[in-house]
Structure formats: structure tokens, C-alpha cells
Amino acid sequence: MNNAAETPGEADETYDVIVIGGGPVGENAADRASRTGLSVALVESELVGGECSYWACMPSKVLLRAGTVRALARDTPGLADPGDIDVAAVLARRNEITNDWDDSGQVSWVEGAGLTLVRGHGRLAGERLVEVTVPRETPAGSAAGGDEDGDVGGGLGEAETGEAPVTRLLRARHAVIAATGSVPVLPDTPGLAAASPWSSREATGAESVPESLVVIGGGVVGVEMANAYADFGTRVTLLARGGLLSNAEPFAGEMVAESLRAAGVDVRTGVTVASVDRPGTGSESEPAGPVTVSLSDGDKITAAEILVATGRVPRTADLNVEAVGLDESGLGRHGALPVTESLEVVGVPGGWLYACGDVTGRAATTHQGKYQGRVVGDVVAARYGTQAGDRSPTTDDPGPAVGQEGQPWSRYAATADHGARVQVVFTRPQVGWVGPTEREARAAGIPVEAVSYDLSWMAGASVDGPGYTGRAQVLVDTQRRVLVGATFVGPDAGEMLHAATIAVVGEVPLDRLWHAVPAYPTVSEVWIRFLESYGL
Ligand SMILES: Cc1cc2nc3c(=O)[nH]c(=O)nc-3n(C[C@H](O)[C@H](O)[C@H](O)COP(=O)(O)OP(=O)(O)OC[C@H]3O[C@@H](n4cnc5c(N)ncnc54)[C@H](O)[C@@H]3O)c2cc1C
Ligand SMILES: NC(=O)c1ccc[n+]([C@@H]2O[C@H](COP(=O)([O-])OP(=O)(O)OC[C@H]3O[C@@H](n4cnc5c(N)ncnc54)[C@H](O)[C@@H]3O)[C@@H](O)[C@H]2O)c1
């Protein structure tokens, strides 16, 4: 940590709270923070709604949907085979769901919630100070701005007519919340950068589909996009240096690999990419040719396009954290902003700087980030808000004092980030899990017994279709006789998961769980089989 913070200048505008980053997480944090009468500015450099709405969760799920429904139809006796997917129609639906990459709908929501949108790139500029740079190409119509009294500060509307970018200095009376998300990682593999590879943005935003695609990375983006493009008829090769979905239970990755292979994907696990080669620059005079990927075992794969899906890192590189006394040693893994349970940034005293979402490095999903956004918003609202009323927190708990942690499981602590994190992968079959894997639980010293069951044996599965494939596993803490984790693999696993999440978060004793009766004939009857297999 570096103690020298930059000297604050005179601010152009003042708000009670400034949120940097208008993704799903920043939006939630800003909304909750405003609930006790605080004025909140939301600073966004690109599209309000963030990665999730335009290049991640939403478009990727639309790309997967047609293939999922086609597989269901094929597995339902009595329905004609739907045949090939109408790719153009799927891409058109994707454009609809992203609102053609136009954020006016979300801007209306921000305005309706009483927040002030400030377009531009925010950088920390000292204690409670944020400098916002507005690029000249900002469209006039999107230059929402102004302080809480309604005065336009900094002349955002003139931004596109001036020579230099406009800079506005914002001051927060109380708190700044960083919700800047994450950026994809590009490995330094020889030839890879020069091959102009796709990131998840190009994969989710493509205007047409390539004849062949090689995907590097067997994580969530890799398997979801391999599945979607294979459904579209693209010849896909998926290269993973380990197994697939290495953060999940091993059986989950194995089942996804088997299903991808059945869908025609060439899945290669345990392989290393040595180099990438692509002729042409991609310019009009020199169009890019096919990509050749050389593996360290000597094999070569040639494809029309290449997608790099090797993870994402917290976006702090352009946040100027040095201005608040943080240097590299004060940051977490891959530059994450380290936070307390109440999401105060560690190493910045005074309880004014907070962080939530991907930028904290704690979890990289929208739902987990939005949960943090609710926690941090409530902490700030309770600490600094003045107006009681309908929108104030609904409990008597006044929240933790500055520098103190919220009580575990109170609304002021992101407790579920540790033992009850949730993830759903929308491949076919879907994979959903909550809490630690068996290996992680044992490494943490939790005495667990894994109880596993083949979901196709359930009456509900036979009704769904003769080709139903699925498996589920729960982890029982044998000392406390509660569930600490669960994994579901199968159609609609994502929808089935929440029952397990409630059991884990609620620490429901097995003897009480016995009385939660699943309806017949549903796949959820597996809950009775779990308990019977455990000895109840
Ligand atoms: C292909 C793909 C599919 C995914 N699918 C799912 C899914 O199905 N379910 C799920 O839960 N998660 C999914 N995720 C993860 C999810 O997208 C992220 O966890 C989520 O977007 C994180 O939200 P965030 O608000 O923290 O960050 P972001 O969504 O990245 O938003 C951050 C925002 O801050 C802005 N910003 C950054 N720096 C600044 C700055 N200095 N000044 C001003 N603005 C700034 C950015 O422009 C951006 O709008 C997926 C990710 C990918 C890549
Ligand atoms: N459905 C969802 O919730 C969803 C969907 C997509 C993405 N996401 C989130 O987005 C984030 C990014 O996804 P992702 O798939 O890029 O990351 P990831 O961390 O899930 O997977 C990255 C994979 O790339 C591999 N890898 C890393 N470096 C490599 C290298 N040099 N060569 C070959 N392989 C390498 C890793 O071993 C890992 O398997 C994730 O954290 C994920 O949670 C969520």
C-alpha cells in the first residue's frame, strides 16, 4: 500500500454517492443506496446494463435456446424433427434481446429510479473524488447528466463539438462504489494476438456464423459457445488444457464433454496450444485467412475463426487506484479490489470506498454480483441515509459502523459468497451447482458424504422423454446433518438448483428436509432418494 493519495481539486458536482460502472451490479448497488434519500450518480463509459445485457448472459442464452428446444422436440415422441436451426432468426432474436445494443430502456430505468446517469469513463482522483472523461464521440442524446439540483455540470451536451474530451470532477459526500466489472484475458501464446481472435463479445455478437470455429478454453464461455455454434452447424473444435468446467464436480464436465461430442464437437482435453498462425491482416486488401492452431503434441487444427475463452480479470487497470493509496501489493488476485464482508475496500480507511461484482474477484456471475450490489447498497444507505420512509431498509438493524463488518447472514454482509455461491451453465445438459465441490469441502475440513443419483431413474424424467440424461449429487455435512453443496446436471438443472440453494443457505436439518414433499411425477423427487440413500 502507498500512503500518498492525490490532492483533491475543486469538484464540479457533488452527490452523496457515486457508483462507477453501470453494469447489472452497479445498477443494483446504486438503486439500493438511494433508498434512504441519498443522491446517487451512476458513471458508465459504455452501455448501461454492462457486459451481461449486451455481450454475455442475455445474448449467449438466446444463442443456446433454439438448440435446446430442438433437442427437446427430438426427444419427444410424436413431434416432427424441427430440422436445421434458422440461424438468421436466432440472430435476429439476439438483436432484439440486446435492443440492438441500445441502452435507452435501461437509461429510462435509471432515471425512473431517481439516479443521475453520468456518461464517461470514471477514474478515482483522490478521497471521495471521481474524475469522469467524456469522449468526444458521445452521442448528444445520450449525454444524461447534471447535479442533484438539476444543473448540467461540465457541459456534457457539448462534448462532441469540442476538440478535447470533457472532464468532470465529481465529489461524493459519503461513498464511492466501484462496480467496473472485468475484462477478458488474452494468453501470450505466439501468434494469437496477431490472429485477431474473437473474445466472448464477438462470439455473442456475431452477424453470421463461421463454417468452422476453434475454441481455446474449457470453462463456462468455452462450453456454452461451443454448444451454441455446433447447434448452428459450425464445425467446432474445443481445446481445454484440463477437463471441462474444472470449477464444477468432475462428473459435470464429463457429461458436458460427452454431450458436446454427440453434438459433433471435437472436444480435446488435456491439450496445450503452442502457437497460432493466420495469414492476412483482416483489411480489405488483405483479408484474414483461416487460423491454424498448433498444439504442443504436434497436432494442427485449421478453422475459419478462433474464440479465446480463457477467463476474465477484474477491471482495475484503468481505475487509477493509486490515487487512493492502493498499489499492486494492495490489490488482490489479478488486480481485484479486496473487500470486507460489508464490501468496504481493504486498505482504504474511512469507509468511503466500496466495491461489488466482478471487480472484487469474489465471484464472476451476475446473480452473485447483484447480491453484493444489494449488500453494499444497503450498507451505504444505512450508514449515510437520512430519510426514513417506504424505501428505507425494512429491519431494525442499523448496520455496521464504519470499519466494522455486518453480522454474518445480515443484509449488510455478503455471507453467501463463501459457502453458498451459485453457478448455472446453460449447455445441454445444463449444469448447476451451489456451495463447494466435494474436493473443496474436504480441503476446507468439512466432513462431507456425497450422495449421488441418476436423474433418469425418476418418474418425472421418464415422462419428460426417453432420452432424458441427468445426474445430481448433494453433499451432506455428516456432523451437522445439513446440506453444504449440491450439483445438478440435466435439462432444466438451473431451475432445479434453487431448492438446493435454499436448503444450503437455510441450513435445513435433514430430518426437517424429510418433510419437504416433492410432487409426483417430477424430477425433484430425487430429494427423497437423496435422503433415503443417506439413511433416513
Ligand atoms: C459470454 C458470457 C456469458 C455470461 N453468462 C452469464 C450468465 O448466464 N449468468 C451469469 O450470472 N453470469 C454470466 N456471465 C458473467 C456476467 O456477465 C458478469 O458476472 C457480470 O456482467 C458482472 O457484472 P458487473 O456489473 O460486475 O460487470 P459488467 O457487466 O462488466 O459491468 C461493468 C460496467 O462498468 C463499466 N465500466 C467499467 N469501468 C468503468 C469506468 N472506469 N468508468 C465508467 N464505467 C466503467 C463498463 O462499461 C460496464 O458497463 C457471463 C459472462 C460472459 C463473458
Ligand atoms: N452461465 C454463466 O454463469 C456464465 C457463462 C459464461 C461466463 N460466465 C462467467 O464469465 C467468466 C469468464 O468465463 P470463461 O469461460 O472465460 O472463464 P473460466 O475461468 O470459466 O474458464 C477459463 C478456462 O480457460 C482455461 N485457460 C486459462 N488460461 C488458458 C490458456 N492459456 N490456455 C488454455 N486454456 C486456458 C482455464 O483452465 C479454464 O478452464 C467466468 O468467471 C464465468 O463465471 C458465466
Side-chain angles (χ1 to χ4, degrees):
M1 211 190 100
N2 173 352
N3 289 325
E6 279 178 16
T7 314
E10 200 167 318
D12 296 319
E13 298 147 51
T14 300
Y15 300 89
D16 289 325
V17 180
I18 300 168
V19 179
I20 311 177
V25 178
E27 286 180 316
N28 271 264
D31 182 38
R32 302 284 310 186
S34 72
R35 288 183 177 216
T36 53
L38 298 173
S39 62
V40 181
L42 183 63
V43 182
E44 172 54 50
S45 58
E46 222 171 336
L47 294 180
V48 178
E51 203 70 21
C52 182
S53 301
Y54 305 100
W55 300 282
C57 328
M58 297 303 285
S60 62
K61 266 66 279 174
V62 170
L63 297 185
L64 284 157
R65 184 66 191 158
T68 303
V69 175
R70 181 177 62 176
L72 273 176
R74 283 180 174 166
D75 192 35
T76 307
L79 288 180
D81 189 318
D84 287 345
I85 290 174
D86 179 347
V87 177
V90 173
L91 298 185
R93 174 67 188 141
R94 185 273 322 272
N95 294 353
E96 249 171 54
I97 211 101
T98 58
N99 208 19
D100 279 315
W101 294 274
D102 175 329
D103 64 359
S104 45
Q106 305 225 30
V107 172
S108 302
W109 175 84
V110 167
E111 287 165 356
L115 313 170
T116 302
L117 175 62
V118 178
R119 294 275 194 188
H121 181 264
R123 295 164 80 242
L124 295 167
E127 188 173 324
R128 295 186 173 84
L129 286 175
V130 176
E131 186 184 80
V132 181
T133 308
V134 186
R136 282 195 290 141
E137 65 270 22
T138 299
S142 66
D147 63 18
E148 61 197 77
D149 302 320
D151 301 327
V152 173
L156 258 179
E158 298 137 35
E160 71 281 10
T161 60
E163 285 304 310
V166 175
T167 300
R168 300 162 72 177
L169 188 63
L170 314 186
R171 179 187 298 279
R173 280 191 200 94
H174 303 298
V176 174
I177 303 173
T180 54
S182 57
V183 288
V185 173
L186 184 67
D188 58 3
T189 307
L192 183 56
S196 306
W198 278 6
S199 71
S200 48
R201 281 202 171 192
E202 288 75 25
T204 55
E207 286 173 18
S208 60
V209 304
E211 174 274 319
S212 52
L213 176 70
V214 60
V215 180
I216 305 181
V220 197
V221 171
V223 295
E224 285 188 349
M225 289 301 96
N227 202 151
Y229 277 86
D231 285 345
F232 294 154
T234 297
R235 190 166 45 81
V236 180
T237 307
L238 177 58
L239 305 175
R241 61 181 180 183
L244 301 189
L245 296 176
S246 50
N247 293 332
E249 292 290 359
F251 75 85
E254 286 157 18
M255 288 177 74
V256 169
E258 197 180 323
S259 163
L260 287 175
R261 286 189 176 113
V265 178
D266 180 2
V267 179
R268 304 197 192 184
T269 53
V271 295
T272 307
V273 175
S275 64
V276 175
D277 185 50
R278 183 175 216 172
T281 59
S283 65
E284 244 175 62
S285 57
E286 227 190 317
V291 191
T292 301
V293 176
S294 302
L295 303 181
S296 49
D297 63 10
D299 248 10
K300 288 187 191 304
I301 299 122
T302 299
E305 206 42 87
I306 180 168
L307 163 63
V308 177
T310 51
R312 300 179 68 86
V313 291
R315 183 168 171 183
T316 48
D318 55 357
L319 193 56
N320 198 28
V321 292
E322 301 79 12
V324 298
L326 281 176
D327 62 17
E328 220 173 282
S329 65
L331 296 177
R333 196 160 169 259
H334 301 310
L337 286 177
V339 287
T340 65
E341 289 311 278
S342 294
L343 303 169
E344 267 183 48
V345 175
V346 175
V348 181
W352 68 270
L353 185 61
Y354 300 78
C356 49
D358 280 15
V359 74
T360 66
R362 279 165 75 120
T365 55
T366 293
H367 45 269
Q368 221 62 46
K370 282 160 73 174
Y371 164 70
Q372 294 171 8
R374 295 192 289 273
V375 169
V376 75
D378 283 357
V379 168
V380 167
R383 272 184 187 166
Y384 304 110
T386 50
Q387 284 178 7
D390 285 346
R391 303 190 80 221
S392 63
T394 51
T395 67
D396 295 335
D397 183 348
V402 169
Q404 289 188 348
E405 302 271 332
Q407 288 299 314
W409 300 118
S410 73
R411 65 190 305 147
Y412 305 113
T415 315
D417 274 358
H418 306 294
R421 268 209 317 251
V422 168
Q423 178 129 32
V424 173
V425 185
F426 293 82
T427 38
R428 207 168 54 254
Q430 291 186 359
V431 177
W433 71 99
V434 56
T437 59
E438 185 179 357
R439 191 170 53 84
E440 288 167 344
R442 290 192 195 287
I446 305 171
V448 286
E449 184 175 323
V451 183
S452 182
Y453 214 81
D454 185 334
L455 292 175
S456 71
W457 296 347
M458 310 312 303
S462 354
V463 174
D464 270 14
Y468 188 105
T469 307
R471 179 155 211 91
Q473 173 183 286
V474 290
L475 296 176
V476 178
D477 179 330
T478 53
Q479 235 159 43
R480 294 191 300 137
R481 284 175 67 82
V482 295
L483 295 193
V484 292
T487 299
F488 288 80
V489 183
D492 293 330
E495 294 295 344
M496 291 180 65
L497 182 67
H498 198 58
T501 305
I502 292 170
V504 169
V505 170
E507 298 173 293
V508 182
L510 294 189
D511 298 307
R512 177 56 68 91
L513 213 46
W514 182 249
H515 296 275
V517 182
Y520 181 86
T522 60
V523 181
S524 291
E525 281 192 297
V526 70
W527 284 90
I528 302 301
R529 302 289 96 83
F530 285 147
L531 296 173
E532 284 173 344
S533 305
Y534 188 66
L536 268 80

